[in-house]
């Protein structure tokens, strides 16, 4: 059974992945009801589901679908705490797109 690839992206790749499921690791900079803002090399508006329990200023991984307005509809959100090396995160995102044939189908 094939599974859908969920490439790791940041804000600069949102437009390239419209209507696709992606993974975003960033810092939660705002929480407002059922939405949040995540800083992943730029601000990303995310629409949370009822199972999402994020903490302001913590790192969070978002798995969701990029909407036409470049917001992300969350399928799953995980709080990764306050001790995250965001330089390492950016290196992984860069490698994902430099060697995309390993991580996702670019068609």
């Amino acid at each position: 059974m094939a599974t859908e690839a969920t490439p790791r992206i940041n804000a600069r790749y949102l437009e390239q992945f419209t209507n696709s499921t992606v993974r975003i690791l960033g810092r939660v900079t705002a929480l407002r009801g059922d939405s949040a803002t995540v800083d992943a090399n730029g601000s990303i508006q995310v629409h949370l589901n009822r199972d999402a329990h994020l903490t302001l200023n913590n790192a969070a991984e978002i798995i969701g679908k990029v909407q036409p307005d470049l917001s992300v509809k969350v399928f799953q959100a995980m709080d990764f705490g306050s001790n995250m090396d965001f330089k390492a995160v950016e290196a992984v995102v860069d490698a994902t797109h430099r060697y995309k044939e390993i991580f996702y189908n670019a068609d």
Side-chain angles (χ1 to χ4, degrees):
M1 178 167 78
T3 59
E4 182 179 6
T6 54
R8 292 192 179 278
I9 70 165
N10 57 32
R12 71 179 173 182
Y13 292 102
L14 284 170
E15 193 168 342
Q16 181 180 336
F17 286 92
T18 302
N19 296 318
S20 298
T21 301
V22 297
R23 291 178 183 262
I24 299 165
L25 186 55
R27 182 178 315 279
V28 179
T29 58
L31 290 168
R32 289 176 298 285
D34 64 350
S35 68
T37 303
V38 174
D39 180 11
N41 202 19
S43 289
I44 301 173
Q45 183 71 27
V46 297
H47 303 287
L48 303 171
N49 60 25
R50 70 175 81 171
D51 297 325
H53 302 287
L54 302 180
T55 302
L56 191 62
N57 296 317
N58 275 7
E61 181 177 57
I62 306 296
I63 300 172
K65 186 173 184 177
V66 180
Q67 302 300 298
D69 66 358
L70 303 184
S71 66
V72 176
K73 180 181 177 187
V74 174
F75 299 147
Q76 185 174 10
M78 293 165 279
D79 189 302
F80 276 24
S82 60
N83 188 19
M84 179 62 60
D85 181 351
F86 286 103
K87 287 184 181 182
V89 170
E90 286 305 310
V92 171
V93 170
D94 289 343
T96 297
H97 299 285
R98 184 175 301 125
Y99 305 105
K100 57 188 161 203
E101 62 277 358
I102 296 171
F103 296 102
Y104 64 92
N105 185 354
D107 295 335

